[in-house]
Amino acid sequence: SPKLFRELATLNPGDPTVPVRLAEVTLWSGDPAAAVPLFAALLEKNFHPESDADKLWAGYLDAAAGADKLTREQERLRLNGHK
């Protein structure tokens, strides 16, 4: 559950995989609106602990497609896409 991953992030702030898993689990739990900023933050920082930018972009685009509304910045990120 996202709650468990938030707790894990607090307990293990140096683990670079936790933010990725939190974004994924948030999306998979049916909350794309909450997953959008999590994926966006990872992509904007070029934070790719698993060297798998494609997976982060796919998650972001899935979350953005499921969200009711995006901010201007989130929409710009969606439109610019994976380079």
Side-chain angles (χ1 to χ4, degrees):
S1 89
K3 180 182 177 187
L4 293 175
F5 277 93
R6 282 191 295 275
E7 291 174 14
L8 189 58
T10 301
L11 295 172
N12 297 304
D15 185 343
T17 63
V18 174
V20 175
R21 297 294 171 250
L22 175 58
E24 291 173 337
V25 169
T26 301
L27 175 60
W28 298 336
S29 71
D31 194 355
V36 168
L38 298 174
F39 279 110
L42 294 169
L43 289 166
E44 289 169 352
K45 290 181 182 179
N46 291 321
F47 179 72
H48 309 297
E50 299 171 345
S51 298
D52 196 352
D54 290 338
K55 184 167 86 172
L56 291 177
W57 276 109
Y60 180 76
L61 294 174
D62 285 347
D68 291 332
K69 188 176 178 182
L70 298 175
T71 65
R72 246 184 246 169
E73 189 59 36
Q74 291 166 344
E75 183 65 21
R76 184 175 18 247
L77 182 60
R78 184 188 69 80
L79 293 174
N80 287 338
H82 184 5
K83 295 180 182 177

